[in-house]
Amino acid sequence: MDIRFTFAAIIFLTLHTAHSSNPPFACDWSNPASKSYPFCNPKLPIPQRTKDLLSRLTLQEKLSQLVNTAPSIPRLGIPAYQWWSEALHGVGNVGPGIHFNASISSATSFPQVILSAATFDSLLWYRIGRAIGIEARAIYNAAQAQGLTFWAPNINIFRDPRWGRGQETPGEDPLLTSRYAVSYVRGLQGDSFHGGKLRGHLQASACCKHFTAYDLDNWKGVDRFLFDARVSLQDLADTYQPPFQSCVQQGGASGIMCAYNRVNGVPSCADFNLLTKTVRKKWHFRGYITSDCGAVGIIHDQQGFTKSAEEAVADVLRAGMDVECGSYLTDHAESAVLQKKVSMSEIDRALHNLFSIRMRLGLFGGNPSSLPFGMIGPNHVCSKEHQYLALEAARNGIVLLKNSPTLLPLPITSPSISLAVIGPNANASPLTLLGNYAGPPCKFVTILQGFQHYVKNAVYHPGCDGGPKCSSAKIEQAVEVAKKVDYVVLVMGLDQSEEREERDRIHLDLPGKQLELINSVAEASKKPVILVLLCGGPVDISSAKYNHKIGGILWAGYPGELGGIALAQIIFGDHNPGGRLPVTWYPKDYIKVPMTDMRMRADPSTGYPGRTYRFYKGPKVYEFGYGLSYSKYSYEFVSVTHDKLHLNQSSTHFTVENSETVRYKLVSELGEQTCQSMSLSVTVRVQNHGSMVGKHPVLLFMRPKIQKSGNPLKQLVGFQSVMLDAGEMAHVGFAVSPCEHLSRANEAGAMIIEEGSQVLLVDDQEHPIDIIV
């Protein structure tokens, strides 16, 4: 019998029966009154329809619709609506909008976002978003959802390695995060991969969160509710804001969530400059803006930003927020109106934005079953295609960090191989493998079960008491188990008790006695051991990296419902790993840097080391973009359309840098057409020199030839994931926009292109580009 297994052999597909109930919708054509309402006429423009609807509402009815749990308006045939549903990496039941029951009891649980990001595969992210959107619509059509607005993706920058919610994000790089946002949003909302398909209804509504500069939850007594993020205009422009701008302008997101924290003294949800001037007027956002849950109440009650609750309500509506997650507006909006602190025009603007989204979702056009997306049914949830996609995402995201001396992959031809799987995460529950904000999965395979498909009699020992906290460990027992087998896999790391929403870490070490367990088992084993890390944020494993008794190290994030299969397929050579780290792995003494310091750029005068690979000037355990494979790949620049860029358009500006005058252009003065005309076409030849097929991300960076103060040390400007057979060679193309990729923010927050030499980088290959102003 072949000890390998196929995907089909392990997938159990639940057959969902059709649900007889209809989903909630307005404008029921069986009601004669519906035909007389202009707001029910789908042939009219949405602004005209919302204007008609608002004209029919009383003040109390209007105010009731400004919170996430919007009640029904029976006299107009409008059902209740729930704005809060979650779909971070699969349709979840964290929010009150989704109900799993006997008809649809689960949904596909993809890897946590940080691991999917490690694939550097925009098309994969789009496919994940599309699958989630399809399952969301199916659950709604089965009358198990009270809304179709999903508060995902989380596109905050993973600025500090201790952040408990970093696992929810695509990582630390603005370009990577932006591309993820665009791909996910287009997929979920029913757009095409390249965008531009949406002309009418949304499949589901995506909401980019948390706007803005939100990346601290609870650290040493500082919590997200009271934290005032002091952020420079420079860092806002080239780090914190780009993902949200891309999410709106390229992704076409229909929702944005404002964050709990203040930014430079002003609560995000009460910041007119952020919500109206930037998002709506500068970026031309046409969706709705929600608060995070409870964020309005804290503005007065905890932050003390306003003198009264009514002023807090007035501030958020005036700033541009449309709906509150919570009940503060229910309690205080009417009195704010009576005190003339809130105008009817501000209320109507919010309601226009809210009802426009419900109309775009097809919820004001009669029974949705006869409208676009109406035929999506329970058979589309937990489909074989979606479950295979979850497996694909996990195995393409897992990062091989060490393989010495080519210990991996393990042999699978010998029937007598013996294996021990040891560690607190080796047989972990779904809560660990799925990560936070997950719903009930279609199928769940533990790490141990994955290995048992290859080695039936694999021995298991938890090693630690009490899970990854490992406050005590049965080291002697684990050592005895390790001595008796040919190979040992140690499955260590973190879980949601160590990192999650409202829990930031205070150290970067492995918890408790994990390291002692690793070293003891490694020393006693016959052969070098394999170390697997389950975690969202990075850990300092320097000792394991340089321990010759540890032959292989893999980071598996939180790999989702089929992560156990994905990991086993890599370790036993049925899949060639290709993931790359989407974050820098810092040494443990990085915790000396206060998590509250929002500065990205290093400050040598005070010893501040900076943050992320773009600005951090200290030692690293592993670099952003690092990842090994069972194949060796080579690269060569084949062509670059321009080696010299002459910027003659617009005014030339000057700045002084180290007593030298530097000439530069303002991107805003060049104009979109000029920027497009200067685009570089870069072609790189990539070859797989290994004996296995491999999915390989090719990362293109840029760095200045001469480092200047304030400039990134290097910066990702493009990436492509390419599948190469053994020995195959392929050309990979990149479009590099000087305005987007070769610019930086100055201290005033303006994007500029400086004169000088830049270097394009792919691995160890370089290509110079001169910018002449």
Side-chain angles (χ1 to χ4, degrees), residues 321-352:
M321 192 199 81
D322 300 311
V323 64
E324 177 208 6
C325 180
S327 58
Y328 208 72
L329 266 67
T330 301
D331 298 335
H332 302 290
E334 186 171 1
S335 58
V337 172
L338 294 176
Q339 294 175 27
K340 300 189 184 304
K341 295 182 183 297
V342 174
S343 70
M344 287 306 300
S345 64
E346 289 162 349
I347 293 170
D348 286 351
R349 178 222 71 226
L351 293 172
H352 162 74

Side-chain angles (χ1 to χ4, degrees), residues 42-81:
K43 295 181 180 180
L44 294 177
I46 284 179
Q48 186 175 339
R49 296 172 68 191
T50 59
K51 183 178 180 180
D52 173 73
L53 174 55
L54 297 187
S55 72
R56 300 172 186 275
L57 301 181
T58 67
L59 174 62
Q60 288 70 30
E61 287 171 337
K62 287 183 176 183
L63 297 179
S64 74
Q65 297 296 306
L66 297 177
V67 293
N68 64 289
T69 304
S72 63
I73 308 174
R75 67 184 184 86
L76 296 177
I78 297 174
Y81 187 83

